[in-house]
Amino acid sequence: MTQQAPTQTQRDSRDHSGAGPSLQATQEQRSHIAKVESTDPGTITIENLEAYYGNFRAVAPVTFTIPGRKVTAVIGPSGCGKSTFIRCLNRMHETVRGASSRGHVLLDGEDINGPKVDPVLIRRKIGMVFQKPNPFPTMSIYDNVASGLKLNGIKSGRPMNEIVEQALRQAALWDEVKDKLKQAGTALSGGQQQRLCIARALAVEPEVLLMDEPCSALDPIATLAIEDLIRQLAPDVTIVIVTHNMQQASRVSDMTAFFMMNEQRSGELVEYATTETIFTNPADKRTEDYVTGRFG
Amino acid sequence: MALSAADFNYRRRKLISAVMLGAAATSAIGMIAVLFLILGYVFIQGGQAIDFAFFTELPRPVGQEGGGMANAIVGSLIVLAIAGVLAIPVGFFAGIYLSEYASTTFAGAVRFVIETMAGVPSIVIGIFAFVLIVRPMGTYSAIAGGFALAMIMIPIFARAAEEALKTVPFSLREAAMALGVPSWRIVLRVVVPTAGPGIITAAMLALARAGGETAPLIFTALGNRFWQEGLTSPIATLPVQIWEYASGPYADLHRQAWAGSLVLVAMTVGIIGLVRLLYRGTSFRQF
Ligand SMILES: Nc1ncnc2c1ncn2[C@@H]1O[C@H](COP(=O)(O)OP(=O)(O)OP(=O)(O)O)[C@@H](O)[C@H]1O
Ligand SMILES: [Mg+2]
């Protein structure tokens, strides 16, 4: 492309150019982006969010609403910015050196990127589960679950034993570990460790739980256990899950967001709709190609 | 049948591999042999000289046989304790700074200072402590000796602690961050405990290293043929006492110097053994 500055009409004619945060581009994108009206607690409204590593724009402006108390899946080819995107939702993105983001992320109407907002407090409301289970190796199972409260010196009204038990029950791990709470968290199996990490995230009673490929290090049985768990949690917590597994996305999620890289290698939101629509009747050809496995 | 090129290549590689393995094994055996020679010699010579009195009695007046180095053994422990009290907190925080705040300019300055300190010959550190502490105090002392040994320990400990802290996987810091834990508390409550055995090891190795230093103590602790009279007066230490006895003309004192060497070597080997034991106990799975 030799042109320096495309005119507005040219820009409009190019589909999903991602050439910049111009209003036209955003509106065009929205055509395949479902409008979600949600007033449930834990609703996340994303407005023109973009993410950078230095000068490299990893996520082009995205605008959509993640409904509260539902499961939203984020899918897309490797490197399209899924991890970067969800790490912007609890301000973990900015902990990477040289990384920055622009735009707005509203949790129940409040901008988490606001000037007076403490990112540390945001992360207590928006928890995160990582790809690889990462329990604290120096802590017992019990202490791992309690760590969010203990490390933050939070005095909850309820006794700690009760909180730990409830979190472990929510994470479907209680029966397996109730007799060995004093043992090291790292002595559990991979799948149990991941559920321990989920329990640890739940113990601080977050509004939202972000999960970045939480099952990719697990076997199929452990994966199913986590999927069950996600379905059970949904009425209480908003869940955003990144996954490469199409079946998983279709099994666990209510809404699905499909990301893809544009010509500038920035990730952009191609389509956002109910999971059923994405998998049975996608509006965008690229979504269809991706979910049917024609590329990936 | 003629050898194919691939066969030939394979044989050549096997030959090179065998030669390299042989060279590596020879140097390893050579090193172990030297170590055992030194240890063996010290154990034989020291073993003949050492007796119960060595641990319980003061040195006898020159010319009289017998006596021991009880004061030097105790003195070494005192000076090392002072050095540890001074060096461990400083080295600990320097190590944290180096590993956790490595990107700041101040960390660059800290690293420069520590690397320079590590490169300064120990005799120069002794002179430094002499000028800084012995002169103003007007006397050689346990404190000055401890200070000089601390100067030697700090860079060793700080860098070893930094290495230990760096082995803590980033995923653990991330996990704590995602729980909304402030960064300084992540360091103190997650990173430091996880690196705990490594940090303790670092401290013990630094102590073992400082415990054998002689040069910096000559200018600071000086030596004492009697029990020390508190921390602000000259104090006997094992390395200095060994050095004095060994450089004198008396056969009985040579004998005692060997006994002292044996005690010193046993202390070092003991610490390293303890460190090994500690490391064996900490094989947690890293994620
Ligand atoms: N720390 C970083 N510094 C610089 N660039 C990065 C960094 N992390 C990711 N990127 C780049 O940002 C883009 C998006 O990466 P991201 O990890 O978000 O992709 P992803 O969709 O999660 O991929 P995957 O499915 O493989 O996990 C990629 O081009 C990647 O190279
Ligand atoms: Mg990813």
Side-chain angles (χ1 to χ4, degrees):
Chain A
M1 203 160 314
T2 50
Q3 264 170 306
Q4 291 295 311
T7 61
Q8 286 300 343
T9 41
Q10 277 171 326
R11 195 180 276 179
D12 284 348
S13 66
R14 270 187 292 139
D15 212 13
H16 307 285
S17 66
S22 75
L23 201 59
Q24 279 76 12
T26 323
Q27 234 127 46
E28 177 130 32
Q29 266 184 17
R30 270 195 193 145
S31 59
H32 293 164
I33 313 277
K35 280 221 164 51
V36 171
E37 305 291 340
S38 163
T39 48
D40 291 317
T43 297
I44 305 173
T45 311
I46 296 142
E47 287 170 4
N48 290 318
L49 176 71
E50 34 181 342
Y52 291 83
Y53 292 104
N55 290 324
F56 170 65
R57 184 162 77 171
V59 177
V62 290
T63 299
F64 69 111
T65 297
I66 294 171
R69 305 294 192 252
K70 293 274 188 304
V71 181
T72 300
V74 176
I75 61 170
S78 185
C80 71
K82 304 178 297 293
S83 298
T84 307
F85 166 72
I86 75 160
R87 288 167 63 91
C88 288
L89 301 185
N90 67 342
R91 298 192 59 175
M92 285 292 281
H93 175 63
E94 70 200 54
T95 64
V96 176
R97 262 229 283 169
S100 60
S101 70
R102 279 188 219 158
H104 301 282
V105 176
L106 312 173
L107 175 63
D108 297 326
E110 223 175 303
D111 193 348
I112 67 164
N113 290 329
K116 286 200 195 111
V117 177
D118 183 353
V120 164
L121 296 178
I122 284 301
R123 292 182 203 127
R124 288 182 204 166
K125 282 199 213 167
I126 308 181
M128 191 160 204
V129 173
F130 297 85
Q131 185 166 354
K132 275 187 179 171
N134 51 5
F136 298 124
T138 54
M139 296 183 196
S140 66
I141 293 171
Y142 183 98
D143 287 339
N144 260 286
V145 179
S147 61
L149 297 171
K150 278 193 180 167
L151 291 178
N152 288 319
I154 298 174
K155 294 263 182 299
S156 158
R158 296 188 297 149
M160 189 64 89
N161 288 346
E162 213 173 87
I163 296 170
V164 169
E165 179 173 343
Q166 190 197 340
L168 283 169
R169 280 191 192 282
Q170 278 184 300
L173 190 60
W174 175 251
D175 290 330
E176 286 156 75
V177 301
K178 62 174 181 240
D179 300 321
K180 48 177 182 179
L181 292 172
K182 291 277 168 281
Q183 282 182 23
T186 42
L188 296 171
S189 76
Q192 289 173 325
Q193 289 190 23
Q194 193 63 304
R195 277 178 282 154
L196 178 62
C197 292
I198 294 173
R200 177 176 68 186
L202 290 173
V204 293
E205 299 190 324
E207 296 273 313
V208 181
L209 194 57
L210 308 173
M211 307 176 112
D212 191 354
E213 301 185 46
C215 302
S216 61
L218 306 181
D219 67 63
I221 307 230
T223 299
L224 283 178
I226 305 255
E227 287 178 10
D228 275 350
L229 162 64
I230 291 171
R231 289 292 355 155
Q232 281 164 27
L233 289 174
D236 301 319
V237 196
T238 306
I239 293 175
V240 184
I241 176 173
V242 174
T243 177
H244 274 136
N245 182 332
M246 295 302 116
Q247 281 88 28
Q248 181 166 74
S250 64
R251 276 193 300 258
V252 301
S253 67
D254 304 296
M255 301 293 292
T256 297
F258 172 57
F259 279 75
M260 227 179 99
M261 249 188 282
N262 63 20
E263 303 93 86
Q264 286 80 37
R265 307 195 62 77
S266 303
E268 63 177 29
L269 181 62
V270 171
E271 186 163 353
Y272 175 58
T274 62
T275 299
E276 207 192 334
T277 310
I278 292 279
F279 283 96
T280 57
N281 186 21
D284 196 294
K285 179 77 171 66
R286 291 168 298 174
T287 314
E288 187 181 341
D289 287 348
Y290 185 74
V291 298
T292 53
R294 268 195 275 273
F295 75 92
Chain B
M1 211 174 91
L3 281 174
S4 73
D7 269 346
F8 179 74
N9 247 328
Y10 178 65
R11 282 178 185 212
R12 204 176 62 119
R13 286 211 311 260
K14 267 188 88 153
L15 187 71
I16 292 176
S17 165
V19 170
M20 288 312 223
L21 187 66
T26 313
S27 24
I29 291 169
M31 215 177 67
I32 293 169
V34 169
L35 177 70
F36 270 87
L37 266 174
I38 296 173
L39 288 184
Y41 201 65
V42 169
F43 268 84
I44 290 167
Q45 293 279 351
Q48 286 168 353
I50 208 159
D51 53 16
F52 189 64
F54 183 83
F55 293 98
T56 55
E57 287 184 23
L58 288 178
R60 297 255 170 93
V62 183
Q64 251 180 320
E65 299 237 322
M69 282 198 195
N71 59 338
I73 295 173
V74 172
S76 259
L77 293 179
I78 290 174
V79 172
L80 270 182
I82 294 171
V85 166
L86 293 175
I88 287 173
V90 175
F92 177 69
F93 285 108
I96 288 182
Y97 212 88
L98 289 178
S99 96
E100 304 303 311
Y101 303 92
S103 55
T104 60
T105 26
F106 187 62
V110 171
R111 186 179 304 280
F112 178 76
V113 168
I114 281 177
E115 266 160 24
T116 310
M117 265 172 86
V120 174
S122 58
I123 187 123
V124 175
I125 287 182
I127 295 168
F128 175 68
F130 177 82
V131 172
L132 203 72
I133 305 216
V134 177
R135 276 261 195 78
M137 278 177 70
T139 172
Y140 297 96
S141 66
I143 290 175
F147 175 81
L149 292 191
M151 290 293 117
I152 288 171
M153 278 179 70
I154 286 172
I156 300 171
F157 178 51
R159 288 200 294 188
E162 176 196 0
E163 289 309 314
L165 290 166
K166 277 187 174 164
T167 62
V168 176
F170 183 71
S171 62
L172 294 182
R173 299 166 215 252
E174 230 176 10
M177 250 189 273
L179 287 169
V181 183
S183 62
W184 59 271
R185 232 186 266 173
I186 295 178
V187 172
L188 288 185
R189 301 280 302 269
V190 175
V191 178
V192 169
T194 308
I199 293 173
I200 294 170
T201 301
M204 295 209 292
L205 290 180
L207 277 171
R209 166 72 204 286
E213 283 290 341
T214 319
L217 293 178
I218 297 173
F219 294 102
T220 52
L222 189 65
N224 191 338
R225 296 191 62 80
F226 307 98
W227 291 107
Q228 68 283 349
E229 291 139 25
L231 301 182
T232 52
S233 53
I235 188 166
T237 53
L238 265 179
V240 174
Q241 197 97 327
I242 292 168
W243 174 71
E244 266 172 19
Y245 281 13
S247 46
Y250 303 101
D252 186 53
L253 295 189
H254 288 173
R255 199 181 56 82
Q256 293 221 12
W258 277 114
S261 306
L262 176 60
V263 172
L264 207 54
V265 167
M267 266 163 56
T268 311
V269 171
I271 288 178
I272 292 171
L274 214 71
V275 164
R276 294 243 121 192
L277 265 177
L278 206 84
Y279 255 121
R280 222 182 29 194
T282 58
S283 54
F284 56 78
R285 277 192 273 170
Q286 294 208 337
F287 277 100

